[in-house]
């Protein structure tokens, strides 16, 4: 017998364990009270810093959401056919160029509106036009949005960088003209690729006033005498709660410089004697969100923190006492009974009478719910068993009812036509074949029939088709005696032969051949319907049709019907599939178990 260290808690009863737990819970409160008085300033910094770290993450999420919105809008503008057509071409008449210019100008203006009542971002499109095909368009920016064409002499300094980055956008502080004024603004710059030409560039799309949009998100957070700045990876301020800081270089503590060299990602915080810095890094976008909070503004709350700690200590002790009493009197004993019931319960086992019926609290509700749930589980076990059987029966009946009846209607029409033109002899033969179809199709209510009967059904169908359309194709039957007694879902071969006729040998005359064969291999039977047609077949699409949960019923409904019925009867190991035939045509294969009808 193996021996090991015993758990000392097992030598105590539950009451003693709860008392010990209470002492363990209360003792740290006194230590916390002493430690809080000594280290209040340090704790205050840590707690506030942690709060601002979370706030920084949320704030950056808001900024990232706005930037994602801008990115999606630029993508929409770039992919818009109106934008893609704005290519300087000499072949376009002037009036056509004016129309294209006007459409893109309206498109940009339509997207340059405030979002959710906030600051607006303005979109401008700059297109390289050295031949001055768009001579009528403005050559310098007069409005906050619009389309502008330029040559080598007045190319913007950021244009080539945007072209080099292709479809990847970036943010930079640029100068722009608004009327007669020249202002600097934070812009999101992105090249406009020509989607019809792999390496073609139509121009560069610029979203300005990003600094005001980001500053709006920054101002949603209030810091005690602090500053919030949105910078690039080199600590240049792109946007800030104080607009005067835009474009200036931010000096972070040396510790932050070490984080920059360590492939930083996420939030980092540093406390110095003067400031608390919380920096949220995003290396993918090469941006930082910097919180700078003066330490002096936080020290004013030190005394308040001490009082809060004292109140929390007293409240925590009182709460612990109440919890101890409540657990002992109201919870522990009922929960032990409940645990015992859960441990001994087995599905299907008779459930005893529910204890504690007079209780109206949560424990009483839990008892009633758990015991009722056990009873319902017993009922559901039997119910589910019966429902599974009924569901399969319903699915089978539904599949049979959905079989397309066009064969019967077309056959009756053919009988009428033949009887009218040729007399009664051949029509009588067709009526005989049709009776075979109807007899085996009904099968006296059976869902599974011997392969012998299914072959008789398929032969009658082939005979009808050859008489109806005077087809000259041949059907070769290679069915061994060992396979003729196996069970198969009724009306399984006829749709496959119909597909082989229509899509394979219909127009081949006497050269067309359909080979129906069966092979028995142990407990497995393979039935194959193969034609020698030359029509191209998308086998991937057929496999997708058979395996998809939501197929397109407008194409190939019959073969999916067969596949589902086989799997409902015999399981997912069996079914049907398509592949290229040995003679160049298409081969439909049915895999079945070697099951036989048991005589009653």
């Amino acid at each position: 017998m193996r021996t090991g260290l015993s758990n000392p808690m097992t030598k105590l009863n539950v009451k003693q364990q709860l008392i010990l737990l209470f002492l363990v819970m209360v003792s740290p409160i006194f230590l916390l009270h002493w430690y809080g008085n000594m280290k209040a300033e340090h704790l205050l910094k840590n707690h506030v810093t942690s709060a601002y770290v979370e706030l920084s993450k949320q704030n950056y999420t808001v900024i990232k959401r706005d930037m994602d919105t801008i990115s999606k809008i630029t993508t929409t503008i770039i992919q818009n056919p109106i934008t893609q057509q704005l290519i300087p071409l000499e072949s376009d008449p002037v009036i056509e160029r004016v129309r294209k210019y006007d459409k893109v100008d309206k498109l940009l203006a339509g997207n340059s509106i405030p979002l959710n009542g906030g600051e607006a971002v303005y979109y401008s499109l700059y297109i390289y036009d050295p031949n001055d095909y768009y001579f009528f368009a403005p050559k310098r920016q007069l409005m906050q949005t619009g389309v502008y064409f330029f040559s080598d002499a007045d190319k913007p300094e950021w244009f080539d960088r945007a072209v080099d980055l292709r479809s990847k956008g970036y943010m930079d502080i640029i100068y722009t003209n608004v009327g007669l004024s020249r202002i600097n603004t934070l812009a999101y710059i992105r090249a406009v690729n020509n989607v019809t030409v792999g390496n073609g560039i139509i121009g560069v799309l610029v979203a300005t006033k990003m600094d005001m949009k980001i500053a709006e998100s920054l101002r949603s957070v209030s810091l005690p005498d602090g500053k919030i700045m949105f910078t690039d990876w080199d600590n240049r301020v792109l946007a800030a709660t104080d607009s005067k800081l835009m474009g200036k270089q931010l000096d972070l503590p040396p510790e932050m410089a070490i984080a920059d060299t360590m492939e930083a990602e996420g939030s980092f915080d540093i406390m110095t004697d003067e400031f608390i810095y919380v920096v949220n890094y995003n290396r993918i976008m090469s941006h930082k969100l910097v919180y700078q909070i003066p330490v002096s503004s936080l020290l004013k709350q030190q005394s308040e923190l001490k009082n809060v700690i004292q109140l929390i200590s007293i409240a925590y002790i009182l709460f612990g006492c109440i919890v101890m009493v409540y657990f002992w009197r109201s919870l522990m004993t009922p929960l032990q009974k409940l645990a015992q019931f859960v441990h001994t319960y087995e599905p299907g086992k008779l459930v005893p009478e529910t204890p504690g019926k007079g209780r109206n609290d949560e424990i009483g509700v839990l008892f009633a719910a758990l015991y009722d749930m056990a009873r319902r589980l017993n009922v559901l076990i039997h119910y589910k068993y019966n429902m599974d059987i009924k569901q399969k029966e319903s699915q089978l009946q539904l599949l049979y009812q959905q079989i397309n009846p066009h064969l019967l209607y077309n056959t009756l029409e053919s009988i009428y036509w033949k009887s009218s033109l040729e007399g009664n002899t051949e029509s009588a033969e067709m009526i005989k074949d049709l009776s075979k179809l109807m007899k085996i199709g009904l099968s006296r209510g059976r869902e599974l029939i011997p392969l012998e009967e299914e072959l008789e059904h398929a032969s009658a169908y082939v005979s009808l088709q050859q008489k109806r359309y005077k087809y000259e194709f041949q059907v070769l039957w290679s069915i061994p005696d060992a396979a003729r007694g196996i069970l198969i879902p009724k009306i399984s071969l006829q749709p496959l032969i119909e597909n082989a006729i229509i899509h394979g040998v219909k127009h081949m005359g006497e050269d067309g051949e359909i080979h129906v064969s069966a092979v028995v291999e142990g407990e497995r039977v393979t039935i194959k319907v193969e034609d020698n047609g030359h029509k191209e077949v998308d086998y991937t699409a057929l496999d997708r049709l058979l395996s998809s949960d939501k197929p397109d019923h407008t194409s190939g409904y019959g073969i999916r019907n067969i596949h589902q019925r086989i799997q409902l009867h015999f399981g997912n190991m069996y079914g049907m599939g398509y592949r290229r035939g040995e003679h160049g045509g298409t081969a439909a294969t049915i895999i079945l178990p070697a099951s036989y009808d048991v005589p009653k």
Side-chain angles (χ1 to χ4, degrees):
M1 180 182 295
R2 295 192 305 170
T3 60
L5 296 177
S6 61
N7 185 356
M9 294 293 293
T10 59
K11 299 179 180 181
L12 304 177
N13 57 36
V14 177
K15 181 178 180 180
Q16 293 171 338
Q17 291 183 25
L18 287 177
I19 294 175
L20 180 60
L21 176 63
F22 177 76
L23 294 177
V24 172
M25 293 174 61
V26 171
S27 297
I29 298 298
F30 298 100
L31 180 62
L32 176 63
H33 182 68
W34 171 79
Y35 185 76
N37 290 332
M38 292 182 59
K39 300 291 183 179
E41 178 180 347
H42 182 70
L43 290 175
L44 178 63
K45 292 179 182 178
N46 286 337
H47 286 299
V48 172
T49 301
S50 299
Y52 282 123
V53 167
E54 296 299 323
L55 189 61
S56 171
K57 293 178 181 179
Q58 298 177 10
N59 198 188
Y60 193 83
T61 301
V62 174
I63 295 174
K64 189 175 181 298
R65 181 194 62 191
D66 292 337
M67 295 174 63
D68 289 342
T69 302
I70 301 303
S71 178
K72 290 179 181 178
I73 293 176
T74 58
T75 300
T76 302
I77 295 174
I78 291 172
Q79 296 178 352
N80 195 301
I82 296 175
T83 306
Q84 291 294 319
Q85 294 175 0
L86 192 62
I87 303 175
L89 297 174
E90 185 179 8
S91 59
D92 290 341
V94 175
I95 187 63
E96 181 63 22
R97 300 175 201 171
V98 173
R99 290 194 187 102
K100 291 181 179 180
Y101 166 80
D102 183 62
K103 289 180 180 179
V104 176
D105 189 69
K106 291 180 179 178
L107 175 64
L108 296 174
N111 285 278
S112 301
I113 57 176
L115 298 176
N116 300 322
E119 295 289 345
V121 175
Y122 298 93
Y123 298 89
S124 301
L125 179 60
Y126 291 81
I127 298 178
Y128 181 60
D129 185 18
N131 297 317
D132 201 19
Y133 293 137
Y134 285 81
F135 58 88
F136 51 83
K139 296 301 184 292
R140 59 167 292 173
Q141 186 171 356
L142 301 176
M143 305 294 290
Q144 297 188 86
T145 180
V147 186
Y148 304 98
F149 298 85
F150 62 88
S151 59
D152 293 325
D154 50 359
K155 179 190 298 184
E157 62 275 8
W158 37 261
F159 186 85
D160 290 335
R161 181 184 176 187
V163 172
D164 293 338
L165 293 176
R166 308 297 299 172
S167 60
K168 182 180 179 181
Y170 72 98
M171 298 180 66
D172 196 4
I173 298 176
I174 66 172
Y175 285 96
T176 182
N177 296 320
V178 179
L180 300 177
S181 302
R182 185 173 176 82
I183 63 172
N184 60 336
T185 180
L186 178 62
Y188 179 78
I189 306 172
R190 183 176 178 182
V192 179
N193 292 335
N194 189 341
V195 298
T196 60
V197 180
N199 298 322
I201 296 294
I202 295 177
V204 173
L205 184 64
V206 179
T208 58
K209 293 298 185 71
M210 288 289 294
D211 52 317
M212 299 184 66
K213 186 64 179 178
I214 295 176
E216 180 185 30
S217 300
L218 299 180
R219 284 192 292 270
S220 63
V221 178
S222 177
L223 298 182
D225 301 326
K227 299 176 182 178
I228 306 177
M229 293 155 285
F230 184 72
T231 72
D232 59 16
W233 205 255
D234 296 325
N235 298 328
R236 186 177 60 150
V237 178
L238 302 178
T241 51
D242 185 359
S243 59
K244 297 179 182 179
L245 297 176
M246 188 176 72
K248 294 184 178 180
Q249 195 71 21
L250 177 64
D251 293 329
L252 293 177
E255 295 85 349
M256 287 296 178
I258 296 176
D260 291 345
T261 61
M262 294 173 61
E263 300 291 329
E265 185 72 19
S267 297
F268 294 83
D269 58 272
I270 295 294
M271 288 186 291
T272 65
D273 295 336
E274 297 182 356
F275 298 99
I276 296 177
Y277 292 92
V278 177
V279 182
N280 195 309
Y281 290 83
N282 190 315
R283 182 167 292 276
I284 296 177
M285 302 179 65
S286 299
H287 294 148
K288 304 176 187 176
L289 180 61
V290 182
Y291 282 18
Q292 186 184 56
I293 307 104
V295 175
S296 59
S297 63
L298 300 180
L299 295 180
K300 299 176 183 178
Q301 305 175 14
Q302 181 177 356
S303 60
E304 297 180 3
L305 179 61
K306 293 180 181 179
N307 296 331
V308 169
I309 292 176
Q310 292 175 353
L311 291 175
I312 291 176
S313 301
I314 296 173
Y316 188 79
I317 294 173
L318 294 176
F319 176 74
C321 294
I322 296 172
V323 170
M324 283 288 297
V325 175
Y326 175 78
F327 265 89
W328 178 250
R329 292 185 177 179
S330 301
L331 299 179
M332 292 304 302
T333 300
L335 287 178
Q336 288 175 350
K337 295 181 180 179
L338 192 61
Q340 183 179 4
F341 170 74
V342 172
H343 181 71
T344 58
Y345 171 73
E346 296 179 1
K349 182 180 178 180
L350 180 64
V351 179
E353 184 179 357
T354 305
K357 288 185 177 180
R359 299 188 60 152
N360 296 322
D361 60 355
E362 289 81 357
I363 296 297
V365 173
L366 183 59
F367 264 100
L370 186 59
Y371 275 74
D372 290 343
M373 182 178 63
R375 296 187 184 96
R376 289 195 300 270
L377 182 59
N378 291 343
V379 175
L380 286 175
I381 290 174
H382 300 287
Y383 177 77
K384 185 178 185 300
Y385 174 76
N386 295 328
M387 288 303 296
D388 286 344
I389 296 176
K390 292 181 179 180
Q391 182 182 13
K392 284 195 174 183
E393 292 176 352
S394 299
Q395 288 177 340
L396 287 171
Q397 292 300 326
L398 180 62
L399 289 172
Y400 287 134
Q401 292 172 6
Q402 291 175 343
I403 296 177
N404 196 333
H406 71 277
L407 171 63
L408 178 60
Y409 297 127
N410 291 339
T411 304
L412 291 175
E413 180 183 356
S414 299
I415 293 174
Y416 174 78
W417 178 75
K418 287 288 183 179
S419 298
S420 299
L421 297 181
E422 298 182 1
N424 297 325
T425 302
E426 190 169 359
S427 297
E429 294 179 2
M430 295 179 70
I431 292 173
K432 181 179 179 181
D433 291 334
L434 178 60
S435 67
K436 291 182 180 179
L437 286 177
M438 296 180 65
K439 175 183 176 182
I440 300 175
L442 295 175
S443 300
R444 298 189 300 276
R446 293 176 298 167
E447 298 172 354
L448 298 175
I449 62 175
L451 180 59
E452 180 73 31
E453 295 184 20
E454 181 66 15
L455 291 172
E456 185 179 356
H457 176 272
S459 299
Y461 169 76
V462 171
S463 177
L464 282 173
Q465 293 299 310
Q466 289 178 329
K467 291 182 177 63
R468 178 185 176 191
Y469 296 109
K470 294 186 177 180
Y471 288 147
E472 297 179 355
F473 62 84
Q474 299 182 16
V475 179
L476 305 178
W477 308 86
S478 300
I479 309 297
D481 294 338
R484 293 180 178 270
I486 65 106
L487 294 179
I488 183 174
K490 63 182 180 182
I491 315 179
S492 296
L493 293 182
Q494 177 268 321
L496 303 184
I497 296 176
E498 180 180 5
N499 285 343
I501 295 173
I502 296 175
H503 303 293
V505 302
K506 182 177 181 181
H507 300 292
M508 295 179 63
E510 60 184 9
D511 294 331
E513 287 186 359
I514 298 176
H515 190 192
V516 182
S517 61
V519 177
V520 180
E521 299 173 337
E523 299 297 326
R524 187 184 181 97
V525 180
T526 302
I527 302 174
K528 183 167 63 175
V529 177
E530 180 179 358
D531 62 72
N532 63 344
H534 304 290
K535 184 177 180 180
E536 293 292 333
V537 178
D538 188 350
Y539 298 104
T540 303
L542 290 174
D543 292 339
R544 186 167 56 250
L545 173 66
L546 293 174
S547 60
S548 174
D549 292 334
K550 296 181 179 179
D552 182 6
H553 293 305
T554 61
S555 60
Y557 178 81
I559 63 173
R560 179 173 172 81
N561 184 295
I562 299 170
H563 181 68
Q564 286 184 319
R565 286 192 288 135
I566 293 174
Q567 291 194 336
L568 284 172
H569 281 295
F570 304 113
N572 294 334
M573 296 175 57
Y574 304 98
M576 66 168 297
Y578 275 89
R579 61 180 176 81
R580 186 170 183 82
E582 298 177 358
H583 304 292
T586 300
T589 304
I590 295 178
I591 306 297
L592 297 172
S595 58
Y596 299 87
D597 193 7
V598 178
K600 297 182 180 179

